[in-house]
Amino acid sequence: MEPGFCLNLHNRGENPCFESHDPSMMYDPVSGMYYSYSTDAALVSPYRQGIPVRRSRDLVHFEFVGYALSEQAILQGRDNGPGYKPTGGFWAPYVERAGGEYRMYYSATRAFGSSESRIWLAVADRPEGPFENRGVVMDTWHTPDTEPNAIDAHVADTPDGRKYFIYGSFFGGIFLKELDPATGMPVNPDPRYQGKRIAKKPENSYIDGPEGAAVLFHPRERYYYLFLSYGWLGDDYDVRVGRSREITGPYLDYRGRSLDGGGWGMKLAGSYRFRSENPRAAEDEPGWQFAGFRGPGHGVPFRDPMSGEYFFVHHMRDGAQVFRKSEWGRDSYRMHYMAVRRMFFLEGWPVFSPQPYAGEEGEPCSLAMYLDREEQGTAAAWEWLRLNHEDNRQVQGEFGPLPEDLPRDRALVFHSYDFENSREGVCLAGITTEGEVIWGKYWAKEF
């Protein structure tokens, strides 16, 4: 048992999850493979434009298989018109199989930090491509920064067969508009039509965002869940969520605040560090020392149709100090990886495993049941951390009794692979009475 990536191994052939940024995930019923598509990014590999593709049979062991877009699609997507430089890289693709074809939505922006962007739809008859452009789904060139930005596409389905396109970033917030299920193009054909805003940052917010949005409908809970990211991409990025009975909103956080200007959302993941004795790591960079993870974010919820289990797929950064640099006036951590986490629903809210997925099976049990079964008292050797709503700095685990505001029936305990210590273990995810997520792991020895 081991997760799909190894820290400090900077070879995409040996470590395929390395260099994956803004990843998405889909299951291909034809080949029986899982496919992940990501932003054009290369840290040490030769750079090439065209949307990198990875595939897997088990959501753990991936292989890098090439680039998805055709040469013609790349030329079209790069072209910004007379007087403008071509776009040098494509961002944040989302791919699904629909209408007997594979549909890829990807972003082409003028430059990092620009709101002059377009989202294209490209189609193919194979998940590995080549994908050919069908048309522009959203265009925000020559619009003010107070309006939405055409990046970070996602597609969500309703139980009655409708499709909605989710996009946007902190410039104007997160928007959605309806798609034609037959073509994947918008019902309103005008690429300047914005749709409806469903999220924006609160007034005077000191955390950047939101961006990297995705929507999932859960049939048992009967909620739509809006996942999005706040924070600085290179350091204190995170994942948050709100929920709604309708896909068009309003999406509310745990405390009932609207994500459309009222709150950031319930924080599900952020920069973190557990104690580490033997992390899964190689020796590429001299002087490397484990220092936790930075900026888990820009992910997609994913239901595996084979197992029925839910996952969340995102990127995160190696927090080792040897990879820290100054960028855009802030600290940034360079080396990034794709991570897959199991996702469970607790009291109507999603929670992620504190550990990357390593092929674990089995349903979780409540903390109350676990403590009764194992005859462990509340002072058992837990290491735990709190994902604070309002503080995006890296949080470190602390040892001792679990916090008193974590009800024992509102925490899930499950078998997992302990990444930081390269062994099997037990971890915990719970929600406090105030709606803050607690991550923890059980240590079978005293400190």
Side-chain angles (χ1 to χ4, degrees):
M1 183 185 294
E2 61 183 28
F5 66 93
C6 176
L7 292 180
N8 204 27
L9 176 56
H10 306 139
N11 181 311
R12 198 166 58 191
E14 298 178 37
N15 199 18
C17 292
F18 175 59
E19 295 180 325
S20 175
H21 207 276
D22 312 320
S24 64
M25 188 71 69
M26 64 158 278
Y27 175 74
D28 175 30
V30 179
S31 66
M33 302 283 283
Y34 303 93
Y35 281 86
S36 180
Y37 306 80
S38 59
T39 288
D40 290 336
L43 298 167
V44 299
S45 302
Y47 178 79
R48 177 183 161 183
Q49 191 171 4
I51 304 298
V53 186
R54 295 164 174 84
R55 68 183 179 190
S56 171
R57 289 199 177 276
D58 58 9
L59 288 173
V60 176
H61 303 95
F62 287 83
E63 61 176 324
F64 184 86
V65 295
Y67 297 84
L69 292 176
S70 73
E71 292 300 321
Q72 178 63 23
I74 293 171
L75 289 174
Q76 289 176 328
R78 282 171 51 86
D79 187 5
N80 291 321
Y84 295 100
K85 293 181 179 179
T87 291
F90 301 132
W91 294 0
Y94 178 77
V95 181
E96 66 170 2
R97 178 172 169 81
E101 62 187 2
Y102 300 90
R103 298 173 180 171
M104 174 188 289
Y105 299 83
Y106 70 94
S107 303
T109 191
R110 181 180 180 182
F112 184 82
S114 170
S115 63
E116 294 175 300
S117 311
R118 296 185 184 92
I119 295 175
W120 287 82
L121 168 60
V123 299
D125 57 13
R126 298 174 60 250
E128 295 169 28
F131 283 78
E132 303 289 351
N133 289 328
R134 174 167 287 169
V136 174
V137 181
M138 188 65 210
D139 188 336
T140 58
W141 271 73
H142 309 299
T143 59
D145 287 349
T146 54
E147 295 188 11
N149 187 12
I151 62 169
D152 299 352
H154 189 256
V155 175
D157 296 288
T158 67
D160 60 358
R162 291 174 295 153
K163 280 187 176 293
Y164 282 85
F165 172 71
I166 298 94
Y167 75 97
S169 72
F170 56 89
F171 283 106
I174 306 300
F175 285 69
L176 90 169
K177 58 183 185 179
E178 193 168 358
L179 298 176
D180 179 351
T183 65
M185 293 293 287
V187 170
N188 184 328
D190 183 357
R192 297 299 180 109
Y193 169 66
Q194 298 175 354
K196 180 181 179 181
R197 192 183 68 207
I198 55 175
K200 71 171 184 177
K201 67 181 178 182
E203 200 73 28
N204 301 318
S205 172
Y206 52 86
I207 305 177
D208 292 336
E211 62 182 21
V215 169
L216 170 75
F217 178 75
H218 194 289
R220 185 187 71 236
E221 305 293 344
R222 305 300 299 175
Y223 277 108
Y224 293 91
Y225 294 91
L226 170 59
F227 300 85
L228 37 72
S229 288
Y230 273 87
W232 165 237
L233 183 65
D235 183 4
D236 60 2
Y237 218 41
D238 67 18
V239 181
R240 296 173 184 258
V241 71
R243 69 184 187 182
S244 172
R245 292 296 185 186
E246 303 292 335
I247 192 169
T248 53
Y251 288 89
L252 308 180
D253 69 8
Y254 187 90
R255 302 177 186 179
R257 297 172 299 191
S258 172
L259 268 61
D260 191 23
W264 295 303
M266 187 171 106
K267 189 172 177 181
L268 300 178
S271 298
Y272 71 99
R273 181 178 181 176
F274 283 116
R275 175 167 172 160
S276 175
E277 294 180 342
N278 182 32
R280 187 164 187 264
E283 299 180 353
D284 272 11
E285 182 74 20
W288 180 89
Q289 289 186 317
F290 181 79
F293 292 98
R294 300 278 179 163
H298 197 126
V300 294
F302 171 70
R303 181 185 179 275
D304 180 5
M306 302 305 294
S307 67
E309 286 194 86
Y310 287 87
F311 297 87
F312 196 82
V313 184
H314 62 90
H315 68 244
M316 62 183 177
R317 286 166 155 72
D318 184 343
Q321 293 300 301
V322 292
F323 301 133
R324 186 182 66 176
K325 66 175 182 178
S326 178
E327 186 178 52
W328 301 88
R330 291 179 275 194
D331 283 346
S332 285
Y333 294 82
R334 298 174 49 239
M335 299 301 180
H336 49 76
Y337 304 80
M338 177 175 67
V340 179
R341 295 183 190 271
R342 297 179 81 187
M343 181 168 67
F344 304 98
F345 287 80
L346 177 62
E347 301 287 333
W349 292 95
V351 290
F352 303 158
S353 170
Q355 295 292 326
Y357 180 58
E360 301 93 336
E361 298 178 349
E363 290 297 310
C365 68
S366 72
L367 175 61
M369 183 182 297
Y370 177 78
L371 293 177
D372 288 343
R373 186 181 67 200
E374 300 297 324
E375 297 183 353
Q376 301 289 346
T378 57
W382 289 96
E383 181 188 11
W384 60 274
L385 55 84
R386 183 187 300 267
L387 298 175
N388 189 292
H389 286 305
E390 299 181 355
D391 187 347
N392 266 22
R393 291 174 296 181
Q394 186 188 57
V395 58
Q396 298 197 22
E398 59 181 87
F399 290 91
L402 291 166
E404 293 183 358
D405 61 347
L406 178 65
R408 295 334 187 220
D409 59 352
R410 290 179 52 184
L412 300 176
V413 178
F414 39 91
H415 179 64
S416 67
Y417 180 84
D418 185 337
F419 183 91
E420 290 83 3
N421 300 286
S422 296
R423 64 190 182 201
E424 295 187 26
V426 172
C427 66
L428 169 151
I431 304 173
T432 70
T433 54
E434 293 299 315
E436 290 187 319
V437 169
I438 302 293
W439 280 356
K441 62 170 69 173
Y442 176 71
W443 291 73
K445 61 182 180 180
E446 299 296 334
F447 289 91

